[in-house]
Amino acid sequence: GLASLDERTLAQERIVTPTAGPVTLDRLPRLPSLRAVRQFSSRNKKGLNGDGKSHLYDDAHGDAVIFDAAGPGCVRSIWGTHFAEAAMLKFYFDGESEPRYRIREIDFFEGKHPDFPPPLVSYERRGHYDLGMAGNCFVPIPFAKSLKITIENESRFFHVIYELYPS
């Protein structure tokens, strides 16, 4: 299963509650010091529209790498749309040579794996274009040393938000 964040990291989390009145900058939540928030997403590397199939690189297996970061850290959000039926997500933790998870992309977002349950994952019709369904995952995915996420078969549109912590 997924490793849990250590107690020190969890203790640094702040609970944000709604407040009455206008929100001012001094009332916004703040990240604990030394924590960085970053993202990877599909994008047209020439600066044009049309970012589908625009992953980071192909790995040694020929899979599309959509996330690759050295840790410690934690993926906080994964979004994707326009999935190929045969597309498989693979998660390689901490330099593993074999994926710890190998899940059909649609099954991942539909919550068919016990480590990625609804309502923290969803697969719903979204948007105004002919892209149809979109998936969201808000299951925290912590990693101690590194995490690489790949898509076997066809990679299209994706967005991954993650945090990095001090070693």
Side-chain angles (χ1 to χ4, degrees):
L2 292 174
S4 62
L5 294 172
D6 64 41
E7 292 300 319
R8 187 181 76 217
T9 302
L10 291 174
Q12 293 173 349
E13 297 288 335
R14 294 183 78 179
I15 297 172
V16 179
T17 56
T19 59
V23 175
T24 59
L25 290 178
D26 63 322
R27 293 173 59 197
L28 290 176
R30 295 183 187 175
L31 288 174
S33 62
L34 304 176
R35 183 180 298 193
V37 177
R38 298 191 178 152
Q39 71 169 3
F40 286 117
S41 69
S42 54
R43 66 178 177 84
N44 187 298
K45 292 172 177 75
K46 295 180 181 176
L48 304 172
N49 194 8
D51 59 328
K53 303 180 187 178
S54 189
H55 50 277
L56 301 175
Y57 63 92
D58 292 330
D59 72 3
H61 306 287
D63 295 339
V65 177
I66 66 164
F67 181 84
D68 192 358
C74 184
V75 170
R76 292 299 186 167
S77 168
I78 302 173
W79 169 88
T81 191
H82 203 79
F83 306 125
E85 281 292 322
M88 300 292 291
L89 279 172
K90 297 178 184 179
F91 294 79
Y92 298 84
F93 290 83
D94 304 327
E96 295 170 335
S97 60
E98 294 296 319
R100 187 175 304 172
Y101 295 102
R102 186 177 186 276
I103 309 166
R104 196 171 76 103
E105 195 169 24
I106 292 171
D107 291 345
F108 173 79
F109 288 112
E110 285 183 334
K112 292 185 178 178
H113 191 285
D115 287 346
F116 303 98
L120 297 176
V121 295
S122 67
Y123 184 63
E124 303 173 292
R125 183 165 302 286
R126 296 282 184 209
H128 302 285
Y129 303 102
D130 191 24
L131 297 178
M133 307 296 279
N136 284 288
C137 173
F138 297 102
V139 174
I141 305 172
F143 52 96
K145 297 177 185 171
S146 65
L147 176 60
K148 180 174 80 169
I149 303 172
T150 68
I151 300 177
E152 176 186 325
N153 292 315
E154 190 170 0
S155 161
R156 298 207 180 150
F157 303 98
F158 66 90
H159 188 240
V160 181
I161 299 173
Y162 66 106
E163 297 172 341
L164 289 178
Y165 311 126
S167 299

